[in-house]
Amino acid sequence: MKKILLFAAILLSSLSAHAQFEQGTKYIGGNVTGLGLSYSKTTDFQFGLGAEAGYFIADSWMLKGNFSYEHQKGINNLNIGAGARYYFLQNGIFLGAGLEYDHYIKSDNSFGMPIEIGYCFYLNHHVALEPSVFYKMSFNDFADRSKVGLRLGIGYFF
């Protein structure tokens, strides 16, 4: 009897997790980046806030747009970008990649390519916590603007 109940619980959890990643599902989310490591010599205090919105064009495939603000040792920048994410249905892990335009206030501009790997932990049927690790490669100034960091996001699937 225990095996049947365990199997039913696993089956129900996998069916409910699959519903969030179906074609036509919409997504909005926000994130905080508080720990980042860059290749430059200015790796002091860093902080970032971001917002993103997405749409599942096929099961497990989401196209998304994002906007964020970052602060690092007196340097402020605004980012706008687009990308895609792939969600693995079996375990909630996602992979993402995209392109971003960085506008450094009182400085020059840059283009970058962020890639990330994260986990989608559902709090209920619509809301999920999304911790991830990212690497953002800068095309204009690889040495000083490329970085690795941690991101904690919260997303709403509807």
Side-chain angles (χ1 to χ4, degrees):
M1 183 66 173
K2 289 181 184 179
K3 290 180 183 179
I4 294 172
L5 289 174
L6 179 63
F7 178 74
I10 291 172
L11 182 64
L12 284 174
S13 67
S14 68
L15 289 175
S16 64
H18 183 266
Q20 284 87 359
F21 307 138
E22 287 181 348
Q23 181 178 359
T25 302
K26 297 168 193 72
Y27 167 85
I28 56 172
N31 59 61
V32 175
T33 302
L35 175 63
L37 306 170
S38 74
Y39 300 116
S40 69
K41 298 171 187 158
T42 60
T43 57
D44 292 338
F45 175 78
Q46 297 181 5
F47 180 74
L49 292 172
E52 51 192 10
Y55 181 77
F56 282 84
I57 58 167
D59 289 354
S60 302
W61 286 97
M62 178 176 70
L63 291 181
K64 68 180 188 88
N66 62 296
F67 178 79
S68 64
Y69 164 80
E70 295 177 355
H71 173 80
Q72 176 185 358
K73 193 177 179 178
I75 301 172
N76 298 311
N77 70 329
L78 301 172
N79 306 328
I80 188 164
R85 271 189 187 170
Y86 178 77
Y87 288 84
F88 293 95
L89 297 178
Q90 297 84 1
N91 53 22
I93 293 175
F94 63 84
L95 300 173
L99 290 173
E100 286 186 355
Y101 172 74
D102 300 332
H103 173 67
Y104 288 87
I105 300 170
K106 298 181 182 176
S107 184
D108 59 348
N109 299 320
S110 175
F111 284 95
M113 184 178 75
I115 56 173
E116 69 177 329
I117 183 168
Y119 181 73
C120 195
F121 177 76
Y122 279 93
L123 301 175
N124 63 29
H125 189 67
H126 297 285
V127 179
L129 286 177
E130 299 173 336
S132 65
V133 176
F134 70 91
Y135 171 71
K136 183 175 176 183
M137 181 179 70
S138 175
F139 294 135
N140 297 43
D141 191 357
F142 181 79
D144 288 334
R145 299 230 171 110
S146 295
K147 57 185 155 185
V148 176
L150 301 174
R151 182 177 294 137
L152 179 62
I154 187 163
Y156 181 71
F157 295 82
F158 59 100

